[in-house]
Amino acid sequence: MKVIHARRAAVALSAAIVLPLALTACSSDSDDSAAGSTASSAKASDKPSEPAAGDTTPMNEPFGPACSTVPKDGAGSFDGMAKDPVATAASNNPALSTLVTAVKKAGLVDTLNNAQNITVFAPTNDAFAKVPKADLDKLLADKAALTKVLTYHVVGQKLTPKQLEKGSFDTLEKSELTTSGSDMAYTVNDSSKVVCGNVQTANATVYIVDTVLMPAQ
């Protein structure tokens, strides 16, 4: 009997020792887990939030097939144009030489260079080439008519690509133009396609288009 009582006492003593150690270990694991959870939470909160799926943040870079023809450096490059007002910037782009000639003939260089926060839909040389030569020559010789056409290409606010998806905007010519499209494919007045868009100059956002826009008569 004494042996049995001695064994029971030893077991009880062993349990009494083991139980606090187990509780201490559990408490330590729980604390470590909580600390790890807190650390993970802190790391998660420190991590910059990523755009949600389908986020349509306006693009920051020029886009479109004709952008590949823009010089990589110099005054006619994207970086170079960003430093100059819009008429000056256009004069450094060989693909816009006809437009620049028209702007000079209309006496609009200073008007465009001094304007603030505008959008210019700039027709390429190929766009002007679509106009029959006799009609183009007549337009270039008529300052009032030329001014009307050119100011129809200018909107008095900076437009983002997102705004072009479905929009109607007042022009400096005092009538409206419309835009539509998505995913870097945009059309103006259902006829003129943006071939290089979101080009920044010192005072304007430029969308280079493949067809001259004509205001209603």
Side-chain angles (χ1 to χ4, degrees), residues 2 16 21-22 27 32 49-50 79 106 128 140 168 171 184 191 211:
K2 289 182 179 180
L21 290 175
S27 175
D32 288 345
S49 59
E50 296 181 357
D79 288 341
F128 279 102
L140 293 173
S168 178
T171 69
M184 298 185 291
S191 61
T211 303

Side-chain angles (χ1 to χ4, degrees), residues 58-150:
M59 292 169 289
N60 295 321
E61 300 295 328
F63 63 87
C67 289
S68 62
T69 65
V70 174
K72 301 300 181 186
D73 50 39
S77 66
F78 291 126
D79 288 341
M81 286 190 284
K83 298 174 184 176
D84 291 322
V86 64
T88 302
S91 70
N92 293 319
N93 187 327
L96 300 177
S97 59
T98 305
L99 173 62
V100 172
T101 296
V103 168
K104 289 178 178 178
K105 283 182 174 292
L108 293 174
V109 172
D110 289 341
T111 299
L112 293 176
N113 277 348
N114 293 328
Q116 294 299 316
N117 298 320
I118 59 175
T119 294
V120 177
F121 293 94
T124 62
N125 295 344
D126 289 341
F128 279 102
K130 292 180 182 180
V131 180
K133 187 176 185 307
D135 293 341
L136 181 59
D137 289 344
K138 181 179 179 181
L139 179 64
L140 293 173
D142 185 337
K143 186 174 180 179
L146 184 59
T147 298
K148 183 178 176 69
V149 170
L150 293 177

Side-chain angles (χ1 to χ4, degrees), residues 1-11:
M1 288 293 291
K2 289 182 179 180
V3 172
I4 292 172
H5 284 303
R7 286 180 179 174
R8 286 178 177 173
V11 170

